[in-house]
Amino acid sequence: MPKAYSQDLREKAIAAIDRGIPKSEVIAMFNISRDSLDRWLKRREVTGSLAATQGYQRGHSHRIEDWQAFREFAEVHGDKTQAEMAELWSVPVSARTMSRALAKIGFTRKKNLWVSSAQ
């Protein structure tokens, strides 16, 4: 993900707008996009601050939150397919979500089969 513009740059660009410099000159002067400048102006209008947004969720929606309970669930239901495990989980999840979660806890779908040679 790209890094946010610095607070100092934001303040300088908005100060230039407040001094009456046209937006087209400000975006050329500071090498920023017009969308960024418009977002900063709107953010200042709504919140009174120019600070970058922080603390938003990244990645998939997190349907599995209790990982210890999920490990126990995987040990109990390890003989089932991922689709069957997804149906049995307490929160509705897809088979793909189940696959990602199993990989995250290091649960392998491969079985160790012992074939003894009886001679």
Side-chain angles (χ1 to χ4, degrees), residues 83-104:
E84 290 171 338
M85 290 173 78
E87 289 176 11
L88 293 173
W89 184 244
S90 58
V91 179
V93 295
S94 67
R96 180 66 187 122
T97 300
M98 187 61 62
S99 173
R100 280 194 306 271
L102 290 169
K104 186 172 183 175

Side-chain angles (χ1 to χ4, degrees), residues 42-77:
K42 183 169 181 149
R43 183 172 295 141
R44 182 179 70 168
E45 180 183 316
V46 173
T47 66
S49 171
L50 297 174
T53 306
Q54 295 181 6
Y56 51 88
Q57 178 182 348
R58 294 184 183 131
H60 295 280
S61 59
H62 304 289
R63 297 286 183 121
I64 299 172
E65 296 172 350
D66 185 0
W67 290 100
Q68 183 57 36
F70 183 73
R71 277 186 179 80
E72 293 168 6
F73 172 82
E75 289 173 8
V76 171
H77 299 288

Side-chain angles (χ1 to χ4, degrees), residues 1 8 20 23 30 35 45 57 63 72 85 101 110 114:
M1 180 166 198
D8 184 47
K23 285 183 181 181
F30 293 104
D35 287 340
E45 180 183 316
Q57 178 182 348
R63 297 286 183 121
E72 293 168 6
M85 290 173 78
K110 294 196 178 227
W114 261 70

